Amino acid sequence: MTRLRAICTAVALVCASSPVFADTASHNASAEEFLTLAHADKLGTPVYMQVQQMFAQRFEQTKAPESKKATLETYQAKANAALDQAIGWKKLKPDMVKLYTSNFSEPELKELVSFYRSPLGKKVLEKMPQLTQQSAQLTQAKLESAVPVVNKLLADMTAELEPKAAPAKKKP
């Protein structure tokens, strides 16, 4: 009788959890679809390009002859492999899916997918990298005028917070 009760309990738990697994799988699938449309697999591309550029600059700085170009390419390939291990899409995807499923409901993700499939959504995806870069440049240019003021304020605060030296006592 106890064994039958245990089996019934196990079956009940499996049946009760099946919709949760289905909901999770569907939610994850919606997140993956969104990430695919958003080209999230390309998020690391600027990092890869920057690392490749670092190696190329170092190659130039060493004034290595053109005959050593294969050495540069070998090290660039090794750097790409190291980056793949750290930030390759296969590494990032599970965490990205989790990030999006924890911040957006499945219906919200489906709305995002629908939007990014629309002509306007496609335009947003196409223009967003340029807009982000241009926005950063605008902000940087405007920020430059505040740097001297902020540096002066920082210096003033530091001077105010530094302990004042006690006046020297006169010796009799």
Side-chain angles (χ1 to χ4, degrees):
M1 190 67 172
T2 305
R3 188 172 188 192
L4 181 60
R5 184 174 286 158
I7 291 172
C8 288
T9 301
V11 168
L13 286 173
V14 168
C15 289
S17 64
S18 291
V20 172
F21 290 135
D23 288 345
T24 300
S26 179
H27 197 182
N28 287 349
S30 293
E32 286 184 37
E33 188 174 6
F34 166 73
L35 291 168
T36 298
L37 284 170
H39 305 290
D41 60 324
K42 305 283 189 265
L43 286 173
T45 300
V47 176
Y48 283 79
M49 290 172 48
Q50 188 174 11
V51 168
Q52 294 301 305
Q53 187 177 12
M54 274 180 10
F55 276 87
Q57 286 173 343
R58 182 62 53 90
F59 182 80
E60 284 181 31
Q61 288 170 353
T62 62
K63 300 187 186 321
E66 194 65 25
S67 62
K68 294 281 190 176
K69 188 91 169 181
T71 302
L72 167 64
E73 291 167 358
T74 298
Y75 278 94
Q76 286 176 320
K78 288 178 181 181
N80 279 346
L83 291 172
D84 285 344
Q85 289 296 313
I87 62 166
W89 184 238
K90 287 181 182 178
K91 285 280 194 181
L92 284 179
K93 185 178 176 182
D95 292 331
M96 293 293 283
V97 167
K98 196 179 297 181
L99 177 67
Y100 278 81
T101 56
S102 67
N103 284 283
F104 295 99
S105 68
E106 185 174 357
E108 290 170 332
L109 285 167
K110 286 184 178 190
E111 281 185 52
L112 284 169
V113 166
S114 179
F115 172 71
Y116 283 117
R117 283 190 175 149
S118 74
L120 178 58
K122 288 177 182 175
K123 183 176 182 177
V124 167
L125 284 173
E126 177 189 323
K127 298 287 184 182
M128 194 53 68
Q130 295 165 298
L131 291 171
T132 301
Q133 182 182 15
Q134 290 171 350
S135 296
Q137 289 170 344
L138 285 170
T139 303
Q140 183 67 34
K142 302 282 185 194
L143 180 64
E144 287 179 16
S145 67
V147 170
V149 175
V150 171
N151 284 338
K152 169 101 173 66
L153 290 170
L154 186 60
D156 291 349
M157 183 189 79
T158 302
E160 188 175 324
L161 293 174
E162 286 179 345
K164 306 264 189 264
K169 293 182 182 178
K170 293 181 183 179
K171 292 186 181 180

